[in-house]
Amino acid sequence: MQMVDQAKLEAFLGKVVADMGGACGALLAFVGDRLGLYRAMAGAGPMTAEELAQKTGTNARMIKEWLASQAAGGYVNYDPASARFSLSEEQALALAQEGGPAFMQGGFQVMVSLFKDEQKIVDAVRTGRGLSWADHDRCLFEGTERFFRPGYNANLTARWIPALDGVEAKLKRGAKVADVGCGHGASTILMAKTYPNSRFFGFDYHAPSIEWATRQAEKEGVSDRVRFQVAKSTDFPGADYDLVAFFDCLHDMGDPAGAAAYVRKTLKNDGTWLIVEPLAGDKLEDNLNPLGRLFYSASATICVPASLAQDGAALGAQAGEAKLRQVVTAGGFTRFRRATQSPTNMVLEARP
């Protein structure tokens, strides 16, 4: 047996301890979101634990410990001279400003949902039978929308759609659009608000999400041009779509090639298929970085089990552009390109 390198061991254990702290920190960030602690600190200047507790109707001793953990993790700032804590503008953007371009609380909510589902995930890894999206804790559905919505708000109508060939002009004039795998409808509603002359149809097989999306469309005042319906990626109704959009969902599907063929069937001859997928290289070694770690972890707990639950292809959240090209061309598309990308997503355009 080779001698252990003590320095390497200590460095690795330090990484493990940091990950443990991060795991606990994710739960406490969720607590801070639920109790409005970050929102109460945003723009309020330095405050003591007692002042924050009074402002939020929480327990001062618990808040003192919560703040200490947050300061140790760099999520809030601490001034030893005054014994006060504060939230910087940058921290507030990520932790307190719902729907803002850097808001991350939805991600913490997703993490919490996975710990709630720990036995289901253990069983899925052991058996390979999968874990359907619908069988997750409901916290996942809301967290997923909150996590992706800031990216949609920042990029969808400002960068992604304008990068497609001739699509934005059609949407401004008036087009027919299907948003498949729409979840809570954040992407559908955003497009409807930006392009009022077009008509939008959101489809998802998860009935509670469709009910949520329908209520949200009414709240947002776009129910006159948006309709949500329960349907799968291989049987959603309608034809002659100018645009079909799949946002962060193709890799989750049981039959992605079948979905591609069905999209081809429902599109106009000059229509466009917009596919937004997690940013990934084509080789495993290309993705061994913090972003890849996050996406592989989500894939192992959510995406691959969801596909396997449908006896599916299990592409995974880091499938890469080359693999996705195979899926798209198998569906009958002859033109395929990366239209643009963001720090976390690649935006792919397919045309007949």
Side-chain angles (χ1 to χ4, degrees):
M1 184 175 179
Q2 293 182 345
M3 294 293 293
V4 171
D5 186 316
Q6 190 65 26
K8 290 183 178 179
L9 175 61
E10 290 177 2
F12 179 71
L13 291 177
K15 176 178 175 57
V16 171
V17 169
D19 285 348
M20 288 181 176
C24 292
L27 174 59
L28 290 175
F30 174 81
V31 170
D33 179 51
R34 279 294 175 92
L35 296 179
L37 303 179
Y38 297 114
R39 292 188 294 276
M41 294 182 72
M47 59 176 61
T48 64
E50 290 75 17
E51 288 168 342
L52 179 59
Q54 184 176 12
K55 188 173 182 179
T56 56
T58 52
N59 179 268
R61 180 64 189 90
M62 290 300 300
I63 291 299
K64 181 180 180 181
E65 211 70 7
W66 180 85
L67 282 168
S69 76
Q70 298 296 291
Y75 278 37
V76 306
N77 304 305
Y78 177 63
D79 177 25
S82 64
R84 281 176 162 78
F85 301 83
S86 62
L87 204 64
S88 71
E89 290 295 327
E90 295 77 16
Q91 291 163 337
L93 274 172
L95 301 172
Q97 295 188 17
E98 181 84 37
F103 188 66
M104 296 295 290
Q105 287 291 358
F108 293 122
Q109 192 169 358
V110 169
M111 299 302 118
V112 169
S113 80
L114 297 178
F115 280 102
K116 289 184 177 183
D117 287 334
E118 50 87 17
Q119 188 57 53
K120 295 177 183 178
I121 293 169
V122 169
D123 292 341
V125 173
R126 183 177 62 247
T127 66
R129 287 196 296 265
L131 174 59
S132 172
W133 173 266
D135 290 334
H136 278 278
D137 184 89
R138 64 181 184 179
C139 201
L140 175 63
F141 314 137
E142 181 181 347
T144 297
E145 185 221 2
R146 294 179 77 206
F147 180 71
F148 283 113
R149 184 166 14 110
Y152 297 154
N153 288 344
N155 294 294
L156 176 52
T157 60
R159 295 183 62 240
W160 295 349
I161 287 177
L164 304 177
D165 187 11
V167 170
E168 186 170 47
K170 290 182 181 180
L171 292 172
K172 288 179 177 179
R173 289 195 303 267
K176 183 179 180 182
V177 180
D179 187 357
V180 181
C182 66
H184 282 191
S187 52
T188 328
I189 292 169
L190 175 59
M191 289 189 289
K193 292 172 72 173
T194 307
Y195 306 110
N197 293 330
S198 293
R199 296 297 175 264
F200 298 87
F201 302 85
F203 303 110
D204 200 289
Y205 90 104
H206 187 236
S209 290
I210 288 297
E211 293 170 3
W212 178 296
T214 300
R215 293 193 298 269
Q216 194 62 31
E218 294 174 355
K219 292 179 182 177
E220 297 280 351
V222 295
S223 56
D224 61 324
R225 52 190 179 273
V226 176
R227 187 175 72 188
F228 291 102
Q229 184 174 341
V230 176
K232 297 179 181 178
S233 60
T234 53
D235 68 1
F236 59 89
D240 294 326
Y241 288 106
D242 295 286
L243 175 68
V244 175
F246 280 39
F247 295 104
D248 291 288
C249 62
L250 180 62
H251 64 270
D252 295 326
M253 294 177 178
D255 184 11
Y262 192 78
V263 171
R264 174 67 184 88
K265 178 181 175 182
T266 61
L267 271 179
K268 287 182 178 179
N269 289 332
D270 64 345
T272 300
W273 184 16
L274 167 61
I275 307 162
V276 177
E277 283 285 300
L279 188 65
D282 293 321
K283 299 178 181 178
L284 172 62
E285 56 265 33
D286 297 333
N287 305 316
L288 300 182
N289 51 57
L291 184 64
R293 183 190 188 192
L294 174 61
F295 285 154
Y296 278 128
S297 298
S299 190
T301 52
I302 304 170
C303 310
V304 167
S307 183
L308 290 177
Q310 306 168 68
D311 297 319
L315 290 178
Q318 295 285 269
E321 185 175 338
K323 184 64 176 179
L324 295 171
R325 180 184 294 273
Q326 293 176 11
V327 171
V328 170
T329 55
F333 289 85
T334 59
R335 289 173 286 178
F336 178 80
R337 71 182 181 100
R338 185 182 298 204
T340 187
Q341 67 183 52
S342 67
T344 58
N345 291 99
M346 50 187 174
V347 180
L348 309 169
E349 177 182 22
R351 306 189 72 178

